[in-house]
């Protein structure tokens, strides 16, 4: 029986300093070398997740942008993608009308970009963009209307709860929406994606691609609920959002205590052809 192990990154596999520990790297690399099928599902892009997982040798496809894409971790090839249809224009107009000017992710002329209007950025957006200085995807635009350019697949709003909560309530049944505070800055975020773009849907696709019979998932946030519902077993780290714990098979040690790696070392049984029975 083949099992796909999938972990969230921020707050789960990553420690609070946004790194994987030497212990976590050693455990996962050893187990994958022996045949464990391990991937991760993250809200990050391939560019930023490679920076924080540089010690890992996961070479199977990865789930990024909360399920908007499945990418080949070696070549960067897009294996599956979910884009908005033309209705995204009216969503953006609605956001603009409520004085919400998001960071918009799109493929423009064949290249992945995130666009924003500097003069319309909130303090929370400025903090986030500061952490992305030098990113080749940066696309500064002059007006909100320019945020509509390209094949859009992800919208990130960082603003006050008073502005964002009504938008979440309005669109949560139509699109895949994640409304939660950022674990690093405590800023309120609203992320809006195509309805088909979710960690759960991407894991289903990856499970079929890799011909796995079971899924074991690890996470810490509300955006992990859908993959916990899909998984055969699901484990929430101790530092998790209380709501997620209700969907978990069990609670394990925190991210800063390398909870995922300890669980895998104790519970993941893999045998290569060279291992003795």
């Amino acid at each position: 029986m083949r099992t796909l192990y999938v972990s969230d990154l921020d707050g789960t596999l990553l420690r609070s300093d946004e790194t994987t520990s030497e212990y976590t790297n050693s455990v996962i690399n050893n187990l994958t070398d022996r045949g464990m099928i391990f991937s991760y599902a993250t809200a990050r892009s391939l560019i930023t997740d490679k920076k924080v997982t540089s010690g890992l040798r996961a070479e199977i496809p990865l789930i990024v942008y909360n399920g908007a894409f499945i990418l080949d971790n070696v070549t960067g090839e897009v294996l599956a993608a979910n884009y908005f249809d033309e209705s995204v224009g009216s969503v953006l107009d609605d956001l603009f009308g409520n004085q919400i000017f998001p960071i918009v992710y799109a493929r423009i002329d064949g290249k992945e970009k995130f666009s924003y209007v500097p003069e319309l950025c909130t303090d929370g957006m400025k903090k986030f963009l500061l952490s992305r200085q030098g990113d080749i995807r940066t696309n500064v635009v002059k007006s909100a209307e320019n945020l509509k350019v390209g094949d859009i697949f992800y919208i990130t709003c960082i603003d006050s709860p008073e502005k964002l909560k009504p938008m979440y309530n309005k669109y949560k049944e139509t699109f895949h929406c994640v409304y939660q505070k950022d674990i690093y800055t405590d800023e309120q975020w609203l992320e809006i994606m195509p309805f088909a773009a979710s960690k759960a849907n991407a894991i289903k696709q990856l499970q079929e691609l890799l011909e796995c019979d079971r899924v074991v998932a690890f996470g810490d946030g509300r955006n992990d609920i859908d993959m916990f519902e899909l998984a055969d077993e699901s484990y929430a780290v101790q530092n998790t959002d209380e709501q997620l714990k209700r969907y978990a098979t069990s609670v394990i040690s925190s991210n800063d205590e390398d909870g995922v790696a300890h669980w895998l070392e104790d519970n993941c049984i893999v045998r290569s052809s060279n291992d003795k029975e």
Side-chain angles (χ1 to χ4, degrees):
M1 183 172 290
R2 289 165 61 85
T3 300
L4 171 61
Y5 296 90
V6 184
S7 179
D8 170 57
L9 286 184
D10 293 278
T12 305
L13 199 65
L14 301 183
R15 290 190 162 194
S16 296
D17 62 0
E18 298 185 68
T19 65
T20 51
S21 71
E22 290 185 9
Y23 169 74
T24 287
N25 293 339
S26 175
V27 168
I28 292 177
N29 289 340
N30 177 55
L31 288 172
T32 53
D33 286 345
R34 294 180 57 206
M36 177 178 70
I37 304 172
F38 179 83
S39 185
Y40 52 78
T42 176
R44 290 175 178 263
S45 68
L46 185 63
I47 291 173
T48 59
D49 68 40
K50 276 187 173 293
K51 291 179 181 178
V52 297
T53 61
S54 58
L56 297 178
R57 295 197 300 270
E59 295 185 351
I60 67 171
L62 305 175
I63 297 164
V64 296
Y65 290 117
N66 273 328
F69 291 105
I70 300 176
L71 301 177
D72 186 297
N73 193 29
V74 178
T75 66
E77 178 188 357
V78 177
L79 303 178
N82 293 287
Y83 294 97
F84 284 102
D85 60 23
E86 62 277 0
S87 66
V88 70
S90 63
V91 175
L92 288 170
D93 284 337
D94 194 13
L95 292 172
F96 303 159
N98 285 276
Q99 296 300 297
I100 301 168
F101 302 96
I103 299 169
V104 178
Y105 293 77
R107 289 190 72 83
I108 301 173
D109 296 327
K111 296 181 179 180
E112 186 181 318
K113 298 290 183 180
F114 61 82
S115 304
Y116 63 95
V117 184
E119 295 79 12
L120 300 176
C121 287
T122 62
D123 289 341
M125 291 170 67
K126 291 175 183 177
K127 290 177 186 176
F128 172 77
L129 292 167
L130 188 62
S131 72
R132 298 297 187 267
Q133 277 190 323
D135 195 311
I136 61 173
R137 299 168 299 156
T138 302
N139 185 43
V140 176
V141 297
K142 295 181 178 180
S143 70
E145 197 64 23
N146 296 135
L147 295 175
K148 298 179 180 180
V149 174
D151 296 318
I152 298 171
F153 59 86
Y154 206 94
I155 298 170
T156 298
C157 310
I158 309 174
D159 213 312
S160 69
E162 292 75 20
K163 284 186 180 180
L164 299 183
K165 188 63 180 292
M167 294 293 103
Y168 170 70
N169 289 333
K170 183 174 184 177
Y171 289 112
K172 64 182 180 180
E173 303 298 332
T174 309
F175 300 102
H176 177 205
C177 297
V178 178
Y179 179 78
Q180 63 183 5
K181 288 192 174 183
D182 180 68
I183 64 172
Y184 301 115
T185 65
D186 205 39
E187 297 284 349
Q188 184 64 58
W189 285 43
L190 170 60
E191 295 160 287
I192 306 174
M193 293 150 275
F195 191 77
S198 70
K199 289 185 178 182
N201 284 340
I203 289 171
K204 285 180 187 176
Q205 292 173 298
L206 187 55
Q207 184 179 4
E208 292 176 6
L209 180 67
L210 300 175
E211 299 181 340
C212 291
D213 307 288
R214 300 176 67 253
V215 172
V216 175
F218 305 89
D220 78 302
R222 295 182 187 183
N223 63 334
D224 297 320
I225 289 175
D226 64 328
M227 75 171 181
F228 271 35
E229 291 179 316
L230 168 74
D232 296 279
E233 296 177 36
S234 53
Y235 296 92
V237 287
Q238 186 64 49
N239 52 287
T240 195
D241 181 275
E242 289 299 318
Q243 186 174 346
L244 183 66
K245 289 181 180 178
R246 298 201 293 268
Y247 297 86
T249 302
S250 185
V251 177
I252 60 177
S253 300
S254 73
N255 64 323
D256 286 326
E257 297 171 309
D258 300 313
V260 173
H262 280 293
W263 189 95
L264 290 171
E265 189 171 48
D266 293 340
N267 296 279
C268 180
I269 301 173
V270 291
R271 290 190 178 97
S272 70
S273 59
N274 295 323
D275 285 337
K276 295 180 180 180
E277 295 293 334

